[in-house]
Amino acid sequence: MKVAIVHEWLDSFAGSERVVEQLLAEWPEADLFVLCDFMPEAERGFLRGKAPRVSFIQRLPFARKHFRKYLGLMPLAIEQFDLAGYDLVLSSSHAVAKGVITGPGQRHVSYVHSPMRYAWDLQHQYLREAGMERGLKGAYTRWLLHRLRIWDRASAMNPDIIVANSTYIAERIRKAWRRESVVVHPPVDVDRFALRTEKEDFYLTASRMVPYKRIELIAEAFRRMPGRRLVIVGDGANEARVREAAGGAPNIAFRGRVGTEELVRLTQAARAAVFAAEEDFGIATVEAQACGTPVIAFGKGGARDIVVAPPAANPTGLFFGAQTADAVIGAVESFEALRFAPEDCRANAERFSHAAFRARMRAIVAEAMA
C-alpha cells in the first residue's frame, strides 16, 4: 500500500506537527507533501530523515519569513500535488491540506485540527485584532476570506473520512462544512510528564501570552485572593496587560519562558493548573493531568473532552462557566473544598498517549481501506 501524508507547512514543531510525527511513526514508508518547508535543522528529527515534497509557494519571494501572506494562493498550491499513485492519503489540516485531490480507488482520511478559524466564526475578531476593520486592506481581506470560505466548504467534500481532534472541533466542522466526523484526540507525550503525588502550595498557569489565552483574568483573580500563590510561566505580546492585571501583587510570580525541565517540575509541583482560554483541544491541560495535577479550566472547547469534573467518579478538575475573574475566584474556592487524587489525574491523561492515538488512527484507516 502506497501512503502519502499531506501537511500545510513546516516552520516549527508545534501541536499539528505532533500529529504528523505519529502518522510518520505509524506509516514510516509514507511520502510527505507540504506547501513549504522552513523547519529549523534542530527540530527536524520527527521527520525521520524524510525530504518533504514542496509546492511552488516554497520558491515565492520572501516566503521564508512571510509564507502565511500567500494564504490566497494556498488552495491552488495544494491542488497541484499529484497523488494519483497512492492508495491512502492522510492529511493533517488546519487550513487547506484537506483540499488535495484524490480519485476513485483512493482513500483520503483527513485529520482536522480545525476549520480555518479566521475565515469562519472568528473572522470579525481576527480583523479587529489585526486592525483591519476598515480601509482598503481590510476590504481586500474580507473579500479574500469570503473566497476562502467558498473553497473551504467545497473542498471539505474531498476526504472520505474526516477526523476531528475534539468534540468541540467536530461541532465546528458540522457547522462550517455540514459534515460529520470521528473524534480522535491529538497525541500527547504523557511519558515526559511523570506523576508526582506531593504538591506544593501554589497554582500554575503556563502559556504564550496572547489575547485569547485570557491570562489577565487569572492574574486579576489571584490579585484579589492575596492568600493564594500563583506562578505565571510564559511570555508574549499580551504580557504588559497581564502584568497590569496582576498589579504587582506579592502572591503572583512571573517566571517568563522556562526550559522543558523547569516547566515539568513546576507542573508536577503545582496544587492545580489554571486555564482560561477556549481551546480547540488543550495539550497543556493533558500534560498537567499526566503530572497528577488537577486542572481548573474554562468550561468550553476542548477542555471538556479532557477534564473529568464532579459529580463524575474519580474527578480530575473543575470548570468555570465564564471568562471573568469572578468565575475564576469561584472555581478556586470550590477547588479548595474538594479533594482530587493525583493518581486519577494521571490515569485520565493516559487516554491521550501516543499509543492510544496511533491505535485509533490504525482502526480508522483499516475501516476506510475496507
Side-chain angles (χ1 to χ4, degrees):
M1 183 171 69
K2 289 198 66 178
V3 181
I5 296 174
V6 183
H7 186 55
E8 263 100 16
W9 52 73
L10 296 171
D11 71 323
S12 64
F13 186 72
S16 61
E17 285 72 34
R18 297 170 192 262
V19 168
V20 173
E21 177 185 40
Q22 294 307 309
L23 294 179
L24 287 170
E26 187 62 32
W27 289 278
E29 74 284 1
D31 293 324
L32 179 60
F33 295 80
V34 297
L35 293 175
C36 52
D37 176 14
F38 300 116
M39 181 68 69
E41 196 62 38
E43 298 182 33
R44 301 185 70 84
F46 76 102
L47 295 176
R48 297 172 168 256
K50 290 187 182 296
R53 304 182 192 186
V54 297
S55 76
F56 65 81
I57 288 178
Q58 180 85 17
R59 300 180 292 278
L60 293 179
F62 313 110
R64 177 173 291 276
K65 289 188 177 180
H66 301 292
F67 63 86
R68 289 177 178 83
K69 293 184 179 179
Y70 291 115
L71 177 64
L73 293 174
M74 289 182 182
L76 173 64
I78 206 72
E79 292 174 349
Q80 302 315 302
F81 287 133
D82 182 1
L83 304 178
Y86 294 93
D87 305 294
L88 171 65
V89 176
L90 299 166
S91 60
S92 163
S93 185
H94 55 74
V96 301
K98 57 110 173 57
V100 290
I101 297 172
T102 55
Q106 295 178 290
R107 291 295 177 264
H108 177 188
V109 177
S110 185
Y111 189 91
V112 176
H113 307 276
S114 176
M116 287 186 278
R117 293 178 286 267
Y118 39 84
W120 290 99
D121 52 309
L122 298 185
Q123 172 189 289
H124 300 292
Q125 178 182 330
Y126 165 77
L127 292 170
R128 186 167 55 250
E129 291 176 355
M132 292 190 294
E133 291 181 283
R134 296 180 177 84
L136 186 60
K137 190 174 181 181
Y140 167 75
T141 303
R142 290 175 188 275
W143 174 83
L144 174 61
L145 294 177
H146 169 71
R147 298 297 301 175
L148 281 172
R149 276 192 295 276
I150 296 172
W151 178 88
D152 194 45
R153 177 171 285 185
S155 64
M157 298 298 104
N158 291 7
D160 297 288
I161 296 176
I162 293 179
V163 181
N165 81 345
S166 68
T167 305
Y168 176 62
I169 293 303
E171 292 171 357
R172 297 186 72 182
I173 289 170
R174 189 178 301 114
K175 183 72 173 180
W177 300 342
R178 298 296 190 261
R179 284 206 60 179
E180 296 301 315
S181 56
V182 181
V183 174
V184 177
H185 299 114
V188 182
D189 188 3
V190 295
D191 293 336
R192 189 161 61 101
F193 291 80
L195 171 66
R196 174 176 163 178
T197 57
E198 295 181 2
K199 303 299 180 181
E200 300 176 20
D201 190 21
F202 70 90
Y203 292 79
L204 174 72
T205 187
S207 169
R208 292 177 295 115
M209 292 192 190
V210 292
Y212 89 92
K213 294 289 187 179
R214 307 305 301 271
I215 302 173
E216 73 278 1
L217 300 179
I218 302 172
E220 179 187 345
F222 278 84
R223 175 175 57 78
R224 292 164 53 187
M225 295 185 289
R228 299 189 173 104
R229 295 173 55 214
L230 173 69
V231 173
I232 299 177
V233 171
D235 58 14
N238 215 40
E239 183 171 351
R241 187 176 178 187
V242 175
R243 288 186 177 273
E244 180 182 359
N251 61 313
I252 301 176
F254 285 83
R255 296 294 302 274
R257 184 181 299 183
V258 301
T260 300
E261 289 185 6
E262 179 64 5
L263 176 60
V264 172
R265 188 195 70 78
L266 288 168
T267 308
Q268 290 172 326
R271 184 175 178 86
V274 187
F275 301 101
E278 185 175 341
E279 300 277 12
D280 294 340
F281 177 64
I283 287 176
T285 305
V286 178
E287 292 172 343
Q289 299 269 270
C291 292
T293 301
V295 167
I296 301 170
F298 178 49
K300 289 187 178 181
R304 297 202 67 88
D305 282 10
I306 302 169
V307 179
V308 180
N314 305 316
T316 67
L318 290 175
F319 296 118
F320 52 92
Q323 288 177 310
T324 65
D326 286 339
V328 175
I329 292 170
V332 171
E333 290 175 346
S334 296
F335 175 85
E336 292 280 352
L338 299 170
R339 181 185 177 278
F340 298 88
E343 295 82 1
D344 291 339
C345 296
R346 174 68 193 191
N348 182 45
E350 295 287 352
R351 298 187 291 131
F352 309 99
S353 68
H354 288 172
F357 171 82
R358 289 165 61 176
R360 288 284 287 126
M361 290 302 295
R362 277 198 307 272
I364 289 170
V365 166
E367 179 183 349
M369 299 307 294

